[in-house]
Amino acid sequence: MKRESLDAVIIPSSDPHNSEYVAPHWQGRKWISGFTGSAGTVVVTMDDAVLWTDSRYFLQAEQELSEEWQLMKEYMPETPTIAEWLKRKMSLLPNGGIVCVDGTVMPYEEITQLTRELRTIGCTMRTNYDALSTIWEDRPAKPANEIFPVDESIIGETIAEKLQRLRIAMGSCDAYVMTDLTEIAWTLNLRGSDVLMTPVFIAYLYITHSDATVFVNGSCTPKAQVMLAEAGVAIEKYDEFVNFLRKKTSKGTLTLCSSKSTNYTIYNIVKENVRDVDSPAGMMKAIKNAAEIEGFRRSMLRDGVAMVRFLHWLKPAVEAGEQTEQTVSEKLEELRKEEAIDVSSVPALSEKKFMSLSFGTICGYNENGAIVHYAVTPATAKILKPEGLLLLDSGAQYADGTTDITRTIALGPLTPEMKRIYTLVLKAHIALASISFPEGTNGTNLDTIPHSVLWRGKVDYMHGSGHGVGTCLSVHEGPQSMRQRWCPAPLQEGMTLTIEPGVYMEGKFGVRVENTMLVKRDISVTDGEKKWFAFEPLTLCPMDTAPIEMDMMEQYEKDYLNDYHALVRERLLPLLSDPDDKAWLVENTKKI
């Protein structure tokens, strides 16, 4: 910083593609701070080292940050924004200060907004320098793994058909710059392994009305090369994209590009002749077609069988002793990999489809369950006892779908507080899962429903109530989302989202109940002016009834849970081969 005359350096968590989960090459925020959560931004000055992160990670950050770091709890009333904090610091300097951020790893809109705010105190921004480049000596290289195709029978649409839809969405624009890795993988029916637990590959995609070019760091399989060639997609090197884009833009090309998601360096090239709109591929990807929905159903069958086998194993294993948060997480992953299913009734399940976990398993026993995104390590793994609550949030990537499920499990006797909180969270889940809503409703409209149930019990949670889920892509998919911060995208038929209210009693325990859902038409509602929608549960796994305080449950809630358990039993029972697993499933889906 001294050598470059910098007064502050900003290090975000993202990569050049605004990804949530990033390859090790771009995990600079984790490297410099030691904080391992997926979201957060670091600011370093000559005197300060500060991390901003959201409520999911408050407890985790407090545990992981060393004493030289200051934690800023994002979105809390007392917490200044990064811009506000920097303005106070930089205003003390005679020249207003110089703040540096690598323009390749932060969206254009964020940097320009920050620049406007800092300019009011005479502070300047530098965006063409990676401050970690000379001090991160063992920095991993950019990933360059193999890129492989997905069977179009699973995807339900060819590359050419998707490109045609995107070209219609381009309208009068000459070109479309796509930078989001999940959108590129979706558009080209390709997958990769450049990012842990998200089957994508680093790339840029440039589309015109007559051709397209994908810029990749890895190598495409022969089959992938043929598929791309047949769709008129050329293949070039990843690092050549910036020069390619400069040449194209110099010819006056009108480019469709989003300043919200495109990094500053790329957007800055096209900004003089741009149509700045959200990427149309995002909404197209979010609305699943019939083939994708069937893929989700198959994936949930596989996942449900693994979960039933795991839950049947869990309590006896804990009672036998020596099980930890780490060992039970490993056991569940092992069962998912096995895919031990009786396929006689569903031949489509005969081919193994497990690829990886969809995120790091969150397995928190008692007080660790109160850490919303707790990441177990051998050093922190608690020994499980036949008492209290285990919060288990997990999922998998299958070739035809992505799963995300949370169950909170009673390992033995519970306190009255545990039972009360568990029942409130279950009621909040059912309240949202059972609602019908009119066309045009967005996730923020629906987010108040589970909160209102918990507010009556004088408890609450600070994370979202649900997020979109990809088709063998990111487990967190937009633009659909259910959270308190404004989410304008209306929920539409064919979208997949989670429903996951929770309550976290710091130092005691946590409870979350999560299913992945499909938005479908509610044909029971006759409204001449609007369509109505409802949620159909895709996740197939019993919810623990042992912690329920039955006198807190209303009849419609009991009916919903009984109907859900009947569905789980009907779908999974024929797929289980072990008679003991079958008996466990019947017992744990009986009516309440």
Side-chain angles (χ1 to χ4, degrees):
M1 288 171 64
K2 285 181 178 178
R3 185 184 67 241
E4 300 291 330
S5 301
L6 304 177
D7 300 295
V9 172
I10 301 172
I11 306 171
S13 298
S14 60
D15 61 6
H17 309 278
N18 199 33
S19 305
E20 178 183 16
Y21 299 113
V22 303
H25 177 79
W26 289 288
Q27 292 177 6
R29 187 267 302 154
K30 174 182 174 181
W31 175 79
I32 200 166
S33 69
F35 169 61
T36 62
S38 67
T41 302
V42 155
V43 177
V44 178
T45 71
M46 287 300 185
D47 305 305
D48 308 280
V50 191
L51 170 80
W52 278 257
T53 193
D54 63 53
S55 62
R56 296 171 297 168
Y57 296 111
F58 289 169
L59 293 178
Q60 181 179 335
E62 287 171 351
Q63 293 178 357
E64 292 183 341
L65 293 176
S66 59
E67 61 183 15
E68 65 232 306
W69 286 88
Q70 179 183 357
L71 173 62
M72 290 289 185
K73 296 183 177 181
E74 209 165 16
Y75 308 118
M76 300 299 288
E78 68 276 11
T79 302
T81 65
I82 292 173
E84 290 167 343
W85 188 87
L86 280 171
K87 284 170 71 174
R88 287 205 295 264
K89 288 288 181 178
M90 298 299 105
S91 64
L92 302 175
L93 301 176
N95 62 348
I98 299 174
V99 175
C100 176
V101 61
D102 179 1
T104 69
V105 294
M106 186 178 280
Y108 180 86
E109 185 176 84
E110 289 185 32
I111 289 183
T112 52
Q113 176 61 32
L114 184 59
T115 300
R116 281 194 293 268
E117 294 196 44
L118 295 180
R119 192 180 293 138
T120 62
I121 60 161
C123 180
T124 58
M125 288 284 293
R126 181 176 174 184
T127 60
N128 63 349
Y129 181 63
D130 177 2
L132 297 179
S133 59
T134 58
I135 64 169
W136 191 357
E137 295 178 354
D138 57 348
R139 184 174 191 169
K142 294 174 186 173
N145 296 314
E146 189 175 62
I147 301 164
F148 53 90
V150 182
D151 193 321
E152 288 174 351
S153 65
I154 293 174
I155 298 300
E157 193 175 9
T158 67
I159 302 171
E161 288 168 336
K162 289 179 178 179
L163 288 173
Q164 179 60 22
R165 282 208 283 155
L166 292 169
R167 285 166 175 147
I168 292 171
M170 285 167 59
S172 60
C173 290
D174 302 303
Y176 174 7
V177 171
M178 191 183 295
T179 63
D180 182 283
L181 300 184
T182 62
E183 292 180 4
I184 295 169
W186 174 85
T187 300
L188 300 179
N189 290 350
L190 299 174
R191 298 294 186 269
S193 58
D194 284 351
V195 178
L196 188 66
M197 293 180 282
T198 305
V200 295
F201 49 96
I202 62 167
Y204 292 103
L205 180 58
Y206 188 85
I207 303 171
T208 72
H209 286 282
S210 59
D211 56 27
T213 306
V214 62
F215 296 78
V216 298
N217 210 44
S219 57
C220 295
T221 66
K223 186 176 179 181
Q225 293 178 39
V226 170
M227 284 175 51
L228 292 173
E230 290 176 347
V233 181
I235 305 171
E236 297 291 350
K237 292 294 185 182
Y238 180 81
D239 289 335
E240 294 173 3
F241 179 65
V242 169
N243 288 333
F244 172 92
L245 189 60
R246 286 196 177 106
K247 291 176 183 177
K248 291 289 186 180
T249 304
S250 66
K251 300 176 182 179
T253 305
L254 176 59
T255 304
L256 188 155
C257 192
S258 171
S259 61
K260 294 179 184 177
S261 58
T262 305
N263 73 61
Y264 182 88
T265 300
I266 296 299
Y267 191 87
N268 208 39
I269 297 171
V270 302
K271 69 178 183 179
E272 298 303 326
N273 199 16
V274 69
R275 180 168 295 163
D276 184 1
V277 296
D278 291 341
S279 174
M283 183 60 77
M284 292 180 189
K285 173 168 59 71
I287 300 173
K288 312 302 187 289
N289 60 37
E292 290 172 316
I293 291 170
E294 284 307 306
F296 265 100
R297 296 193 197 284
R298 291 190 298 270
S299 297
M300 296 298 175
L301 290 172
R302 297 186 191 93
D303 219 55
V305 166
M307 286 296 301
V308 166
R309 295 177 67 211
F310 170 80
L311 292 172
H312 180 204
W313 166 87
L314 178 62
K315 290 183 183 179
V318 171
E319 290 167 359
E322 297 187 356
Q323 294 297 332
T324 71
E325 296 164 332
Q326 182 87 28
T327 62
V328 298
S329 298
E330 292 168 352
K331 177 67 174 180
L332 179 53
E333 182 175 2
E334 173 190 320
L335 292 172
R336 281 192 164 111
K337 288 178 178 177
E338 284 182 14
E339 293 186 28
I341 291 179
D342 179 356
V343 298
S344 58
S345 61
V346 189
L349 294 177
S350 60
E351 184 182 347
K352 283 186 175 290
K353 298 287 186 178
F354 178 87
M355 297 173 65
S356 72
L357 299 182
S358 54
F359 57 95
T361 298
I362 300 167
C363 184
Y365 177 54
N366 283 348
E367 62 265 34
N368 283 346
I371 303 172
V372 179
H373 275 205
Y374 171 64
V376 64
T377 66
T380 64
K382 290 178 66 67
I383 295 176
L384 306 186
K385 300 176 182 179
E387 62 184 27
L389 290 172
L390 178 69
L391 189 155
L392 185 66
D393 187 348
S394 65
Q397 295 286 3
Y398 299 94
D400 46 7
T402 301
T403 68
D404 186 1
I405 173 177
T406 306
R407 292 293 182 264
T408 304
I409 306 141
L411 296 181
L414 304 177
T415 66
E417 183 184 33
M418 287 175 172
K419 290 183 176 181
R420 174 179 171 271
I421 295 299
Y422 181 92
T423 308
L424 282 171
V425 171
L426 181 60
K427 287 165 66 72
H429 177 96
I430 293 172
L432 181 50
S434 61
I435 202 72
S436 293
F437 52 93
E439 186 177 16
T441 303
N442 65 36
T444 305
N445 302 146
L446 294 178
D447 183 74
T448 57
I449 294 170
H451 284 283
S452 66
V453 175
L454 297 175
W455 291 340
R456 281 192 286 271
K458 305 298 187 288
V459 290
D460 196 18
Y461 58 99
M462 296 175 64
H463 58 71
S465 298
H467 56 80
V469 180
T471 302
C472 189
L473 283 171
S474 177
V475 74
H476 297 134
E477 177 178 84
Q480 73 276 31
S481 181
M482 293 187 285
R483 59 179 60 249
Q484 290 176 318
R485 294 199 302 278
W486 182 241
C487 302
L491 303 192
Q492 298 186 40
E493 185 176 11
M495 285 183 169
T496 46
L497 300 97
T498 63
I499 291 179
E500 50 179 307
V503 171
Y504 311 94
M505 310 301 289
E506 185 174 350
K508 296 180 180 180
F509 62 90
V511 176
R512 185 160 65 249
V513 177
E514 175 187 21
N515 276 353
T516 301
M517 317 292 282
L518 173 69
V519 179
K520 65 175 186 177
R521 283 287 300 276
D522 186 348
I523 59 175
S524 69
V525 181
T526 55
D527 185 337
E529 296 182 358
K530 286 186 176 181
K531 298 176 184 176
W532 281 67
F533 301 120
F535 291 112
E536 175 192 336
L538 293 172
T539 300
L540 298 169
C541 177
M543 298 178 181
D544 198 349
T545 58
I548 299 176
E549 287 282 11
M550 290 299 174
D551 59 357
M552 293 174 60
M553 296 284 283
E554 297 182 39
Q555 189 58 49
Y556 92 90
E557 295 165 335
K558 294 180 182 179
D559 291 342
Y560 180 91
L561 189 56
N562 287 334
D563 289 345
Y564 175 68
H565 278 164
L567 174 69
V568 172
R569 186 171 59 250
E570 174 191 344
R571 298 278 177 86
L572 297 185
L573 201 59
L575 303 178
L576 293 166
S577 55
D578 187 328
D580 291 338
D581 288 337
K582 288 176 179 281
W584 183 93
L585 178 61
V586 171
E587 174 65 20
N588 285 272
T589 55
K590 66 184 181 182
K591 282 190 174 183
I592 61 171

mmCIF file with all atom_site columns, all heavy atoms in Angstrom, residues 464-480:
data_model
loop_
_atom_site.group_PDB
_atom_site.id
_atom_site.type_symbol
_atom_site.label_atom_id
_atom_site.label_alt_id
_atom_site.label_comp_id
_atom_site.label_asym_id
_atom_site.label_entity_id
_atom_site.label_seq_id
_atom_site.pdbx_PDB_ins_code
_atom_site.Cartn_x
_atom_site.Cartn_y
_atom_site.Cartn_z
_atom_site.occupancy
_atom_site.B_iso_or_equiv
_atom_site.pdbx_formal_charge
_atom_site.auth_seq_id
_atom_site.auth_comp_id
_atom_site.auth_asym_id
_atom_site.auth_atom_id
_atom_site.pdbx_PDB_model_num
ATOM 1   N N   . GLY A 1 464 ? -32.958 -15.051 4.984   1.00 0.00 ? 464 GLY A N   1
ATOM 2   C CA  . GLY A 1 464 ? -34.099 -15.169 4.093   1.00 0.00 ? 464 GLY A CA  1
ATOM 3   C C   . GLY A 1 464 ? -34.950 -16.384 4.417   1.00 0.00 ? 464 GLY A C   1
ATOM 4   O O   . GLY A 1 464 ? -34.493 -17.355 5.024   1.00 0.00 ? 464 GLY A O   1
ATOM 5   N N   . SER A 1 465 ? -36.196 -16.346 3.961   1.00 0.00 ? 465 SER A N   1
ATOM 6   C CA  . SER A 1 465 ? -37.103 -17.479 4.164   1.00 0.00 ? 465 SER A CA  1
ATOM 7   C C   . SER A 1 465 ? -36.960 -18.519 3.060   1.00 0.00 ? 465 SER A C   1
ATOM 8   O O   . SER A 1 465 ? -37.498 -19.621 3.183   1.00 0.00 ? 465 SER A O   1
ATOM 9   C CB  . SER A 1 465 ? -38.555 -16.992 4.209   1.00 0.00 ? 465 SER A CB  1
ATOM 10  O OG  . SER A 1 465 ? -38.762 -16.109 5.286   1.00 0.00 ? 465 SER A OG  1
ATOM 11  N N   . GLY A 1 466 ? -36.270 -18.172 1.977   1.00 0.00 ? 466 GLY A N   1
ATOM 12  C CA  . GLY A 1 466 ? -36.094 -19.138 0.902   1.00 0.00 ? 466 GLY A CA  1
ATOM 13  C C   . GLY A 1 466 ? -35.326 -18.543 -0.257  1.00 0.00 ? 466 GLY A C   1
ATOM 14  O O   . GLY A 1 466 ? -35.265 -17.320 -0.430  1.00 0.00 ? 466 GLY A O   1
ATOM 15  N N   . HIS A 1 467 ? -34.750 -19.430 -1.071  1.00 0.00 ? 467 HIS A N   1
ATOM 16  C CA  . HIS A 1 467 ? -33.954 -19.023 -2.232  1.00 0.00 ? 467 HIS A CA  1
ATOM 17  C C   . HIS A 1 467 ? -34.223 -19.978 -3.375  1.00 0.00 ? 467 HIS A C   1
ATOM 18  O O   . HIS A 1 467 ? -34.665 -21.115 -3.173  1.00 0.00 ? 467 HIS A O   1
ATOM 19  C CB  . HIS A 1 467 ? -32.459 -19.028 -1.888  1.00 0.00 ? 467 HIS A CB  1
ATOM 20  C CG  . HIS A 1 467 ? -31.965 -20.349 -1.361  1.00 0.00 ? 467 HIS A CG  1
ATOM 21  N ND1 . HIS A 1 467 ? -31.655 -21.420 -2.182  1.00 0.00 ? 467 HIS A ND1 1
ATOM 22  C CD2 . HIS A 1 467 ? -31.754 -20.792 -0.089  1.00 0.00 ? 467 HIS A CD2 1
ATOM 23  C CE1 . HIS A 1 467 ? -31.275 -22.446 -1.442  1.00 0.00 ? 467 HIS A CE1 1
ATOM 24  N NE2 . HIS A 1 467 ? -31.324 -22.099 -0.170  1.00 0.00 ? 467 HIS A NE2 1
ATOM 25  N N   . GLY A 1 468 ? -33.950 -19.530 -4.584  1.00 0.00 ? 468 GLY A N   1
ATOM 26  C CA  . GLY A 1 468 ? -34.075 -20.396 -5.732  1.00 0.00 ? 468 GLY A CA  1
ATOM 27  C C   . GLY A 1 468 ? -33.032 -21.505 -5.707  1.00 0.00 ? 468 GLY A C   1
ATOM 28  O O   . GLY A 1 468 ? -31.998 -21.393 -5.044  1.00 0.00 ? 468 GLY A O   1
ATOM 29  N N   . VAL A 1 469 ? -33.320 -22.584 -6.445  1.00 0.00 ? 469 VAL A N   1
ATOM 30  C CA  . VAL A 1 469 ? -32.404 -23.725 -6.529  1.00 0.00 ? 469 VAL A CA  1
ATOM 31  C C   . VAL A 1 469 ? -32.215 -24.083 -8.004  1.00 0.00 ? 469 VAL A C   1
ATOM 32  O O   . VAL A 1 469 ? -33.188 -24.160 -8.761  1.00 0.00 ? 469 VAL A O   1
ATOM 33  C CB  . VAL A 1 469 ? -32.948 -24.951 -5.767  1.00 0.00 ? 469 VAL A CB  1
ATOM 34  C CG1 . VAL A 1 469 ? -31.971 -26.120 -5.873  1.00 0.00 ? 469 VAL A CG1 1
ATOM 35  C CG2 . VAL A 1 469 ? -33.206 -24.604 -4.306  1.00 0.00 ? 469 VAL A CG2 1
ATOM 36  N N   . GLY A 1 470 ? -30.981 -24.305 -8.432  1.00 0.00 ? 470 GLY A N   1
ATOM 37  C CA  . GLY A 1 470 ? -30.680 -24.569 -9.832  1.00 0.00 ? 470 GLY A CA  1
ATOM 38  C C   . GLY A 1 470 ? -30.851 -26.020 -10.225 1.00 0.00 ? 470 GLY A C   1
ATOM 39  O O   . GLY A 1 470 ? -30.992 -26.910 -9.377  1.00 0.00 ? 470 GLY A O   1
ATOM 40  N N   . THR A 1 471 ? -30.824 -26.265 -11.528 1.00 0.00 ? 471 THR A N   1
ATOM 41  C CA  . THR A 1 471 ? -30.863 -27.621 -12.076 1.00 0.00 ? 471 THR A CA  1
ATOM 42  C C   . THR A 1 471 ? -29.440 -28.105 -12.286 1.00 0.00 ? 471 THR A C   1
ATOM 43  O O   . THR A 1 471 ? -28.804 -27.791 -13.285 1.00 0.00 ? 471 THR A O   1
ATOM 44  C CB  . THR A 1 471 ? -31.619 -27.647 -13.424 1.00 0.00 ? 471 THR A CB  1
ATOM 45  O OG1 . THR A 1 471 ? -32.940 -27.151 -13.230 1.00 0.00 ? 471 THR A OG1 1
ATOM 46  C CG2 . THR A 1 471 ? -31.701 -29.059 -13.980 1.00 0.00 ? 471 THR A CG2 1
ATOM 47  N N   . CYS A 1 472 ? -28.917 -28.843 -11.290 1.00 0.00 ? 472 CYS A N   1
ATOM 48  C CA  . CYS A 1 472 ? -27.514 -29.234 -11.296 1.00 0.00 ? 472 CYS A CA  1
ATOM 49  C C   . CYS A 1 472 ? -26.638 -28.000 -11.530 1.00 0.00 ? 472 CYS A C   1
ATOM 50  O O   . CYS A 1 472 ? -25.749 -27.979 -12.368 1.00 0.00 ? 472 CYS A O   1
ATOM 51  C CB  . CYS A 1 472 ? -27.224 -30.290 -12.358 1.00 0.00 ? 472 CYS A CB  1
ATOM 52  S SG  . CYS A 1 472 ? -25.565 -30.990 -12.254 1.00 0.00 ? 472 CYS A SG  1
ATOM 53  N N   . LEU A 1 473 ? -26.963 -26.955 -10.755 1.00 0.00 ? 473 LEU A N   1
ATOM 54  C CA  . LEU A 1 473 ? -26.217 -25.701 -10.809 1.00 0.00 ? 473 LEU A CA  1
ATOM 55  C C   . LEU A 1 473 ? -26.123 -25.155 -9.390  1.00 0.00 ? 473 LEU A C   1
ATOM 56  O O   . LEU A 1 473 ? -26.107 -25.933 -8.441  1.00 0.00 ? 473 LEU A O   1
ATOM 57  C CB  . LEU A 1 473 ? -26.887 -24.720 -11.782 1.00 0.00 ? 473 LEU A CB  1
ATOM 58  C CG  . LEU A 1 473 ? -26.642 -24.999 -13.266 1.00 0.00 ? 473 LEU A CG  1
ATOM 59  C CD1 . LEU A 1 473 ? -27.514 -24.128 -14.145 1.00 0.00 ? 473 LEU A CD1 1
ATOM 60  C CD2 . LEU A 1 473 ? -25.164 -24.793 -13.623 1.00 0.00 ? 473 LEU A CD2 1
ATOM 61  N N   . SER A 1 474 ? -26.109 -23.856 -9.227  1.00 0.00 ? 474 SER A N   1
ATOM 62  C CA  . SER A 1 474 ? -25.953 -23.290 -7.895  1.00 0.00 ? 474 SER A CA  1
ATOM 63  C C   . SER A 1 474 ? -27.142 -23.631 -7.010  1.00 0.00 ? 474 SER A C   1
ATOM 64  O O   . SER A 1 474 ? -28.296 -23.525 -7.428  1.00 0.00 ? 474 SER A O   1
ATOM 65  C CB  . SER A 1 474 ? -25.800 -21.772 -7.979  1.00 0.00 ? 474 SER A CB  1
ATOM 66  O OG  . SER A 1 474 ? -25.723 -21.219 -6.674  1.00 0.00 ? 474 SER A OG  1
ATOM 67  N N   . VAL A 1 475 ? -26.841 -23.999 -5.770  1.00 0.00 ? 475 VAL A N   1
ATOM 68  C CA  . VAL A 1 475 ? -27.918 -24.281 -4.821  1.00 0.00 ? 475 VAL A CA  1
ATOM 69  C C   . VAL A 1 475 ? -28.630 -22.999 -4.406  1.00 0.00 ? 475 VAL A C   1
ATOM 70  O O   . VAL A 1 475 ? -29.751 -23.052 -3.893  1.00 0.00 ? 475 VAL A O   1
ATOM 71  C CB  . VAL A 1 475 ? -27.347 -25.028 -3.586  1.00 0.00 ? 475 VAL A CB  1
ATOM 72  C CG1 . VAL A 1 475 ? -26.546 -24.077 -2.689  1.00 0.00 ? 475 VAL A CG1 1
ATOM 73  C CG2 . VAL A 1 475 ? -28.440 -25.724 -2.799  1.00 0.00 ? 475 VAL A CG2 1
ATOM 74  N N   . HIS A 1 476 ? -28.010 -21.858 -4.651  1.00 0.00 ? 476 HIS A N   1
ATOM 75  C CA  . HIS A 1 476 ? -28.644 -20.556 -4.419  1.00 0.00 ? 476 HIS A CA  1
ATOM 76  C C   . HIS A 1 476 ? -28.799 -19.867 -5.774  1.00 0.00 ? 476 HIS A C   1
ATOM 77  O O   . HIS A 1 476 ? -27.827 -19.399 -6.356  1.00 0.00 ? 476 HIS A O   1
ATOM 78  C CB  . HIS A 1 476 ? -27.797 -19.681 -3.490  1.00 0.00 ? 476 HIS A CB  1
ATOM 79  C CG  . HIS A 1 476 ? -27.630 -20.263 -2.116  1.00 0.00 ? 476 HIS A CG  1
ATOM 80  N ND1 . HIS A 1 476 ? -26.423 -20.310 -1.467  1.00 0.00 ? 476 HIS A ND1 1
ATOM 81  C CD2 . HIS A 1 476 ? -28.517 -20.838 -1.278  1.00 0.00 ? 476 HIS A CD2 1
ATOM 82  C CE1 . HIS A 1 476 ? -26.576 -20.885 -0.288  1.00 0.00 ? 476 HIS A CE1 1
ATOM 83  N NE2 . HIS A 1 476 ? -27.840 -21.214 -0.154  1.00 0.00 ? 476 HIS A NE2 1
ATOM 84  N N   . GLU A 1 477 ? -30.028 -19.830 -6.260  1.00 0.00 ? 477 GLU A N   1
ATOM 85  C CA  . GLU A 1 477 ? -30.290 -19.316 -7.603  1.00 0.00 ? 477 GLU A CA  1
ATOM 86  C C   . GLU A 1 477 ? -31.250 -18.135 -7.543  1.00 0.00 ? 477 GLU A C   1
ATOM 87  O O   . GLU A 1 477 ? -32.221 -18.150 -6.776  1.00 0.00 ? 477 GLU A O   1
ATOM 88  C CB  . GLU A 1 477 ? -30.897 -20.435 -8.460  1.00 0.00 ? 477 GLU A CB  1
ATOM 89  C CG  . GLU A 1 477 ? -31.285 -20.003 -9.872  1.00 0.00 ? 477 GLU A CG  1
ATOM 90  C CD  . GLU A 1 477 ? -31.844 -21.156 -10.697 1.00 0.00 ? 477 GLU A CD  1
ATOM 91  O OE1 . GLU A 1 477 ? -33.061 -21.431 -10.575 1.00 0.00 ? 477 GLU A OE1 1
ATOM 92  O OE2 . GLU A 1 477 ? -31.068 -21.778 -11.436 1.00 0.00 ? 477 GLU A OE2 1
ATOM 93  N N   . GLY A 1 478 ? -30.984 -17.118 -8.349  1.00 0.00 ? 478 GLY A N   1
ATOM 94  C CA  . GLY A 1 478 ? -31.894 -15.991 -8.499  1.00 0.00 ? 478 GLY A CA  1
ATOM 95  C C   . GLY A 1 478 ? -32.536 -16.025 -9.865  1.00 0.00 ? 478 GLY A C   1
ATOM 96  O O   . GLY A 1 478 ? -32.261 -16.922 -10.659 1.00 0.00 ? 478 GLY A O   1
ATOM 97  N N   . PRO A 1 479 ? -33.402 -15.042 -10.167 1.00 0.00 ? 479 PRO A N   1
ATOM 98  C CA  . PRO A 1 479 ? -33.668 -13.853 -9.351  1.00 0.00 ? 479 PRO A CA  1
ATOM 99  C C   . PRO A 1 479 ? -34.703 -14.066 -8.246  1.00 0.00 ? 479 PRO A C   1
ATOM 100 O O   . PRO A 1 479 ? -34.936 -13.188 -7.428  1.00 0.00 ? 479 PRO A O   1
ATOM 101 C CB  . PRO A 1 479 ? -34.207 -12.852 -10.394 1.00 0.00 ? 479 PRO A CB  1
ATOM 102 C CG  . PRO A 1 479 ? -34.898 -13.729 -11.395 1.00 0.00 ? 479 PRO A CG  1
ATOM 103 C CD  . PRO A 1 479 ? -34.068 -14.978 -11.486 1.00 0.00 ? 479 PRO A CD  1
ATOM 104 N N   . GLN A 1 480 ? -35.367 -15.235 -8.208  1.00 0.00 ? 480 GLN A N   1
ATOM 105 C CA  . GLN A 1 480 ? -36.387 -15.472 -7.195  1.00 0.00 ? 480 GLN A CA  1
ATOM 106 C C   . GLN A 1 480 ? -35.750 -15.672 -5.821  1.00 0.00 ? 480 GLN A C   1
ATOM 107 O O   . GLN A 1 480 ? -34.709 -16.313 -5.688  1.00 0.00 ? 480 GLN A O   1
ATOM 108 C CB  . GLN A 1 480 ? -37.250 -16.680 -7.564  1.00 0.00 ? 480 GLN A CB  1
ATOM 109 C CG  . GLN A 1 480 ? -36.593 -18.049 -7.422  1.00 0.00 ? 480 GLN A CG  1
ATOM 110 C CD  . GLN A 1 480 ? -35.762 -18.457 -8.609  1.00 0.00 ? 480 GLN A CD  1
ATOM 111 O OE1 . GLN A 1 480 ? -35.185 -17.626 -9.290  1.00 0.00 ? 480 GLN A OE1 1
ATOM 112 N NE2 . GLN A 1 480 ? -35.683 -19.754 -8.867  1.00 0.00 ? 480 GLN A NE2 1
#
